[in-house]
Amino acid sequence: MDKKNYNPQEIELKWQKIWEKKEYFKVKDDSKKPKYYVLEMFPYPSGRIHMGHVRNYSIGDVVARLKTMQGYNVLHPMGWDAFGLPAENAAIKHNVHPAKWTYENIDYMRKELKRLGYSYDWGREIATCHPKYYKWEQLFFLKLWEKGLVYRKKSPVNWCPGCHTVLANEQVEEGLCWRCSSVVEQKELEQWFLKITDYAEELLADLEKLKGGWPEKVLAMQKNWIGKSEGVEIDFQVDGEATKIRVFTTRPDTLFGATFMSMAPEHPLVPALISETNQEKACKEFIEKTKRLDKIVRTSEDLEKEGVFTGRYCINPVTGAKIPIYLANFVLAEYGTGAVMAVPAHDQRDFEFAKKYNLPLKVVIQPKNETLDPSSMTQAYTEQGFLVNSGEFNGLFNEDAKVAIAKYLEEKNLGKRTVNYRLRDWNISRQRYWGAPIPVIYCPKCGLVPVKEEDLPVVLPLDVKTKEDGRSPLPEYKEFVETTCPKCGAKAKRETDTMDTFVESSWYFLRYTSPRKEDAPFDPNSLKYWLPVDQYIGGVEHAILHLLYSRFFVKVLRDLGYIDLDEPFKNLLTQGMVLKDGAKMSKSKGNVVDPDEMIQKYGADTVRLFCLFAAPPEKDMEWSDQGIDGSFRFLNRLWRVIIELLPILSPVGAACKIDKNNLSPKAKKLLFKEHQTIDKVTRDLKGKFQFNTAIAAVMELVNLIYLVKDELKQDEIGAKLLSSALSSVCCLLYPMVPHICEELWQMIGYEEHLAITSWPKADPEALQQDTLTIVIQVNGKLRGKIEVDANISDEEVKAKALEDSNVQKHVQGKTIVKTIVVPKKLVNIVVK
Ligand SMILES: [Zn+2]
Ligand SMILES: [Zn+2]
């Protein structure tokens, strides 16, 4: 090979072959070394990897290689989140079977990842669409059912009347079907739920255990999603009837100010309430209209608040006042109780609603230094204050009134204190084909019957034709649907819903510890050895659901006796996005940079280096052509200096012990810089993974090598210093740009590969500096820098500072008023 020029294509393939042949990344459980489990969120096999993947996996690879060098037994696996909607969409578009599409994509993307040189243990690769994987998920479903954590209930789905099919949220585009543009409706279907709400309190409390290891932002998002609120449930009797409407409020202190009731149009009491009133028709129209609104839109602040009077009234339990009942578009059935006591004077949404429909405002909380007048209020008063118009509670501070009124309601049997969560149970039913079948049978005699454990897996049939219109082919596929009841042997039917793909990704990190185990989901010893995941890395877009479901699954599996663990991910890094021209890369914006193309042009090492260097990992990074060019130039510069010095370089080891006495100033400087760089890179890569500053430090070291090489290469000790420093550069950069470093390392003369070499250690003695750089200012302005002995006295520094020629220019002809010395740092000469 022509070694003169850096040829990434050649050396990268060479080293990928060597690493694979030597099985350096194959992991065993029986090591005496401490374990380290680093994991990147596994990709959906969409077809090609994108720059966001490259950034994510490059970060993970640095951690994996670094920890290996630092003496850990590292588990670094990769797999595929392989079920899901895009495969079905592609099936429709390109007339190809989802399985074929998925497996072909996996093959292509695996090649791309291998070309980037990531240190995965490919022997542990998993694809969640494989029956040997989802078999265990079906088993978990049965176990959860036994434990009472699975149930079935009616729940709305997006329904396209044009295609006669259920649509996933992603297939609804601004309220219209993605395929035929029909207006999407909400339709009620029986669906399967996992009772994640049983774990709401623990999921919330255990966030404490993750502090320090997880970004604060993500902890806050999890907390908000669980949404614990403490308040009171109050029953409002319907006027003239025994029926009661229950509300949940966190503001019982405003109860006397409730002047109407807002109900979700889909509240189960509504049909009976509006029946045979003169408002029935208007209400029904309103319900139909609201059904079409997206739920996120319905809860957004800028939604135009709309409602309709039901023609019915209910009784405020403390004032006895008859208040009208409205249906309101901003009230959702699944939040709280689906009914809200409206206090327009003290709640902004209620205020807007009351203004629109001319409903009365009643002030019950007065701020300290002003008097609110309902007729002149322009917005609700939501701050603290003292109670008025509230009977026996008048004069109380509203925080105290919350407690007092709650107690009163409990005593009078009108309500009770309660805790409410925003978190809802997890609907895992998908009316789609490309997913793991839910292992349930419907028997006309026995009802719902679970599939027997020994009959698992319920295999998703692959010999089906997917439907043009997107409907699942399963309900019409007789060989799948028709079966016999495991209990009574009668003819029965299989469930044709499949599981939400979030179920697969909620436990894949556990399966990696024993991915080929056939007789159980996990090998308990492997699980015990590897878990928790020491470092998890992925996009912040998964900060809520995926992490919450994974945490839930681990807690459930713990309670089922599979695992002795409360939390799966000890440390979490959420990397930022890759932007181009200030926007996230996307096909529609036409700003996508294809990793394959960049690898073709610059090599994998340059692409990796740029992704790590452009920004700290948790920040968004901006793709720039000059940036990647700069990374490529740096690697070339490193290559050239080693080629040039090759005749005098020898494998002395990184951070080689060198006596610093009798070294020339340049030699001393290099020795110090080498050890300082090792020290800095080691610190930067620990914990917060500041790759960009670590790389910058190595660049500085390379710059210094360029400055001193011509002098140092003249003698033996200088050659030794250069050998050590360049060896250190190879070690320090290896986790980031492993191919070029292995190649240069081998050229220097090492026989052992970097993949199994130890991380260099800075020598504390070499870090002791015996010269210092002192900054000299005249009247606070920088005028010079001098090198001085580290043990110099203040008086000597002053004298030396004045000898500097540039300083003399600025002092000449003036009077020195005083000289300030900041030891080891700075001299400021004040003149007049
Ligand atoms: Zn449609
Ligand atoms: Zn039966």
Side-chain angles (χ1 to χ4, degrees):
M1 155 161 59
D2 172 20
K3 303 236 163 173
K4 263 202 174 139
N5 292 314
Y6 169 43
N7 181 345
Q9 304 302 336
E10 207 170 312
I11 61 171
E12 287 174 359
L13 294 176
K14 168 187 162 183
W15 284 100
Q16 284 159 15
K17 270 191 205 127
I18 293 175
W19 294 328
E20 196 172 336
K21 198 165 160 238
K22 295 270 183 186
E23 300 190 327
Y24 284 143
F25 310 130
K26 195 176 162 141
V27 196
K28 295 195 187 78
D29 301 2
D30 54 1
S31 168
K32 294 265 179 317
K33 294 178 191 169
K35 69 93 184 179
Y36 194 92
Y37 185 177
V38 53
L39 182 66
E40 299 113 54
M41 289 180 186
F42 68 166
Y44 179 77
S46 54
R48 298 173 84 83
I49 60 162
H50 54 68
M51 242 359 135
H53 290 128
V54 176
R55 190 176 188 205
N56 187 184
Y57 309 148
S58 295
I59 294 168
D61 201 46
V62 179
V63 178
R65 289 179 188 263
L66 173 74
K67 291 292 171 183
T68 304
M69 289 179 97
Q70 290 178 336
Y72 289 89
N73 186 28
V74 172
L75 174 57
H76 188 210
M78 180 44 78
W80 312 96
D81 191 8
F83 273 138
L85 191 62
E88 285 182 58
N89 292 348
I92 295 162
K93 219 170 149 187
H94 307 298
N95 197 25
V96 53
H97 193 283
K100 186 170 185 290
W101 186 83
T102 303
Y103 282 113
E104 280 177 5
N105 285 349
I106 288 176
D107 286 342
Y108 188 82
M109 290 169 76
R110 188 192 304 107
K111 260 189 221 142
E112 291 184 292
L113 295 185
K114 286 193 170 179
R115 182 61 191 84
L116 278 151
Y118 297 130
S119 62
Y120 298 125
D121 180 353
W122 283 106
R124 290 177 186 250
E125 180 183 355
I126 52 178
T128 58
C129 62
H130 200 285
K132 284 189 176 172
Y133 181 83
Y134 65 71
K135 171 184 177 176
W136 303 117
E137 185 162 307
Q138 293 174 335
L139 176 72
F140 299 150
F141 178 90
L142 299 180
K143 299 275 183 196
L144 262 78
W145 193 348
E146 273 169 36
K147 252 191 155 330
L149 291 169
V150 170
Y151 66 92
R152 209 161 163 263
K153 83 164 188 201
K154 272 203 167 157
S155 180
V157 291
N158 302 309
W159 177 260
C160 173
C163 304
H164 302 283
T165 184
V166 172
L167 299 177
N169 287 334
E170 306 91 284
Q171 294 176 315
V172 182
E173 293 166 352
E174 292 176 6
L176 305 180
C177 169
W178 70 300
R179 202 180 307 117
C180 73
S181 296
S182 303
V183 174
V184 175
E185 294 172 0
Q186 300 288 309
K187 190 176 165 181
E188 297 261 315
L189 281 185
E190 290 278 354
Q191 306 190 60
W192 292 96
F193 287 82
L194 299 188
K195 258 178 127 180
I196 189 173
T197 50
D198 271 16
Y199 286 80
E201 192 57 47
E202 195 192 341
L203 285 166
L204 181 68
D206 281 357
L207 291 174
E208 276 299 312
K209 296 182 183 166
L210 302 173
K211 273 194 178 157
W214 283 35
E216 282 294 329
K217 181 179 65 177
V218 176
L219 291 174
M221 287 160 91
Q222 294 261 312
K223 191 177 164 201
N224 289 340
W225 191 262
I226 298 167
K228 181 179 179 173
S229 57
E230 289 173 70
V232 185
E233 274 180 3
I234 309 170
D235 289 334
F236 284 62
Q237 184 147 8
V238 178
D239 185 37
E241 268 187 51
T243 315
K244 284 175 176 168
I245 302 170
R246 179 161 292 180
V247 303
F248 171 80
T249 178
T250 56
R251 294 294 307 271
D253 52 327
T254 64
L255 178 54
F256 286 80
T259 54
F260 61 100
M261 166 82 71
S262 304
M263 287 179 86
E266 55 274 60
H267 193 291
L269 287 177
V270 168
L273 273 179
I274 59 173
S275 163
E276 288 170 32
T277 66
N278 53 12
Q279 285 293 93
E280 186 171 4
K281 191 164 167 271
C283 285
K284 280 190 169 159
E285 280 169 13
F286 182 74
I287 292 166
E288 279 309 308
K289 189 176 157 196
T290 319
K291 261 189 191 171
R292 294 192 195 119
L293 281 180
D294 182 81
K295 286 190 179 150
I296 297 163
V297 173
R298 279 176 63 185
T299 48
S300 76
E301 265 176 52
D302 37 279
L303 168 86
E304 169 82 30
K305 273 91 191 152
E306 285 188 346
V308 61
F309 178 46
T310 58
R312 305 296 297 265
Y313 295 84
C314 62
I315 310 295
N316 183 323
V318 287
T319 62
K322 225 167 95 171
I323 62 175
I325 304 171
Y326 273 73
L327 304 184
N329 61 354
F330 59 87
V331 183
L332 297 188
E334 57 263 52
Y335 289 166
T337 60
V340 175
M341 66 174 214
V343 185
H346 304 290
D347 180 280
Q348 188 56 31
R349 285 190 321 183
D350 296 344
F351 182 89
E352 288 169 33
F353 195 87
K355 285 284 165 197
K356 181 161 179 159
Y357 295 103
N358 266 323
L359 293 159
L361 264 65
K362 183 178 168 192
V363 171
V364 291
I365 292 175
Q366 284 289 5
K368 208 167 177 187
N369 296 318
E370 56 176 310
T371 306
L372 297 172
D373 174 6
S375 62
S376 61
M377 283 171 81
T378 54
Q379 59 179 36
Y381 177 75
T382 57
E383 306 294 311
Q384 295 183 327
F386 294 87
L387 265 65
V388 293
N389 300 324
S390 297
E392 62 186 272
F393 303 99
N394 281 343
L396 276 180
F397 181 55
N398 76 300
E399 290 298 325
D400 301 329
K402 278 184 187 171
V403 182
I405 293 179
K407 250 173 115 180
Y408 172 85
L409 290 169
E410 281 186 338
E411 278 163 17
K412 299 267 171 192
N413 235 349
L414 295 168
K416 69 174 203 298
R417 271 175 279 203
T418 170
V419 176
N420 205 13
Y421 296 92
R422 184 173 171 263
L423 182 67
R424 299 289 110 187
D425 280 334
W426 178 8
N427 179 349
I428 58 155
S429 275
R430 296 294 178 271
Q431 294 72 39
R432 313 224 64 91
Y433 163 67
W434 192 234
I438 293 176
V440 175
I441 290 165
Y442 298 93
C443 170
K445 293 179 197 155
C446 316
L448 293 172
V449 184
V451 171
K452 281 190 178 154
E453 270 183 49
E454 59 264 35
D455 293 337
L456 296 180
V458 177
V459 177
L460 180 74
L462 297 183
D463 55 343
V464 297
K465 182 101 183 64
T466 49
K467 303 229 171 236
E468 256 325 83
D469 53 16
R471 271 182 302 146
S472 167
L474 287 182
E476 288 170 28
Y477 189 78
K478 283 190 183 150
E479 292 89 329
F480 178 79
V481 176
E482 289 175 4
T483 183
T484 50
C485 170
K487 259 194 198 160
C488 71
K491 276 194 173 173
K493 282 185 178 289
R494 276 189 200 285
E495 170 65 88
T496 55
D497 278 4
T498 54
M499 284 193 241
D500 178 9
T501 57
F502 272 108
V503 182
E504 281 98 61
S505 56
S506 292
W507 62 281
Y508 77 109
F509 46 91
L510 305 174
R511 182 68 179 169
Y512 277 141
T513 63
S514 46
R516 301 291 171 259
K517 193 155 175 66
E518 298 260 345
D519 57 345
F522 320 112
D523 175 330
N525 291 324
S526 303
L527 209 53
K528 201 173 164 172
Y529 176 70
W530 287 113
L531 266 288
V533 173
D534 294 278
Q535 184 66 56
Y536 197 28
I537 306 163
V540 78
E541 66 274 20
H542 296 297
I544 299 180
L545 292 182
H546 163 58
L547 293 174
L548 195 71
Y549 292 154
S550 299
R551 297 178 60 221
F552 164 63
F553 243 79
V554 160
K555 289 172 194 300
V556 169
L557 292 174
R558 174 199 64 197
D559 294 345
L560 289 169
Y562 284 104
I563 183 171
D564 183 19
L565 189 75
D566 294 330
E567 286 291 335
F569 311 120
K570 199 169 160 197
N571 295 291
L572 172 71
L573 174 73
T574 47
Q575 95 271 357
M577 288 187 295
V578 182
L579 311 177
K580 175 98 194 292
D581 313 320
K584 188 180 175 178
M585 288 186 186
S586 76
K587 268 188 203 152
S588 60
K589 290 200 196 84
N591 62 346
V592 174
V593 178
D594 179 33
D596 284 358
E597 235 170 77
M598 289 297 121
I599 294 168
Q600 209 53 45
K601 191 166 173 197
Y602 296 106
D605 279 338
T606 295
V607 178
R608 294 168 56 127
L609 183 68
F610 177 62
C611 284
L612 295 162
F613 184 55
E618 68 282 3
K619 296 264 161 61
D620 290 346
M621 66 166 271
E622 173 73 31
W623 186 269
S624 103
D625 297 337
Q626 297 96 306
I628 188 150
D629 225 46
S631 292
F632 185 61
R633 279 204 310 275
F634 169 67
L635 293 183
N636 273 284
R637 191 166 149 81
L638 174 63
W639 181 272
R640 281 198 311 272
V641 74
I642 290 185
I643 296 293
E644 182 200 323
L645 295 173
L646 218 43
I648 60 118
L649 295 180
S650 58
V652 297
C656 165
K657 186 93 182 152
I658 291 167
D659 183 4
K660 66 177 180 175
N661 294 311
N662 308 319
L663 290 183
S664 70
K666 278 189 181 162
K668 258 189 194 170
K669 208 169 175 180
L670 181 60
L671 180 70
F672 171 75
K673 189 78 185 174
E674 179 190 353
H675 287 267
Q676 188 198 36
T677 307
I678 294 169
D679 184 56
K680 177 161 173 59
V681 172
T682 308
R683 276 187 288 115
D684 284 354
L685 295 189
K686 207 168 143 186
K688 285 203 93 186
F689 305 123
Q690 298 302 307
F691 309 112
N692 54 332
T693 55
I695 294 165
V698 180
M699 287 173 168
E700 273 184 40
L701 175 56
V702 172
N703 285 344
L704 183 66
I705 292 170
Y706 264 93
L707 285 175
V708 300
K709 67 178 172 35
D710 291 336
E711 184 184 314
L712 296 192
K713 71 181 178 191
Q714 306 300 336
D715 60 41
E716 206 181 308
I717 188 81
K720 198 173 172 188
L721 266 164
L722 287 167
S723 298
S724 173
L726 283 165
S727 300
S728 290
V729 169
C730 289
C731 285
L732 298 177
L733 285 181
Y734 161 79
M736 298 168 248
V737 286
H739 312 87
I740 185 175
C741 291
E742 284 276 24
E743 183 69 18
L744 292 170
W745 182 255
Q746 192 177 55
M747 287 191 326
I748 294 172
Y750 294 98
E751 279 175 13
E752 193 181 71
H753 297 147
L754 270 175
I756 48 166
T757 297
S758 300
W759 187 249
K761 278 199 179 73
D763 177 6
E765 214 174 294
L767 278 173
Q768 291 280 327
Q769 224 176 348
D770 33 41
T771 61
L772 294 172
T773 306
I774 302 282
V775 171
I776 312 166
Q777 299 175 333
V778 177
N779 286 354
K781 284 209 175 89
L782 175 69
R783 297 302 182 197
K785 281 182 187 171
I786 50 168
E787 289 283 313
V788 298
D789 190 282
N791 299 314
I792 196 166
S793 72
D794 286 3
E795 285 313 306
E796 283 172 297
V797 171
K798 281 188 200 170
K800 285 224 170 199
L802 285 169
E803 283 168 20
D804 185 276
S805 59
N806 191 43
V807 172
Q808 280 182 359
K809 257 194 274 170
H810 289 93
V811 177
Q812 234 160 36
K814 292 175 183 158
T815 318
I816 294 175
V817 184
K818 63 178 171 184
T819 308
I820 303 152
V821 179
V822 180
K824 304 196 169 186
K825 281 201 176 124
L826 171 152
V827 177
N828 185 14
I829 303 163
V830 183
V831 296
K832 216 166 49 170

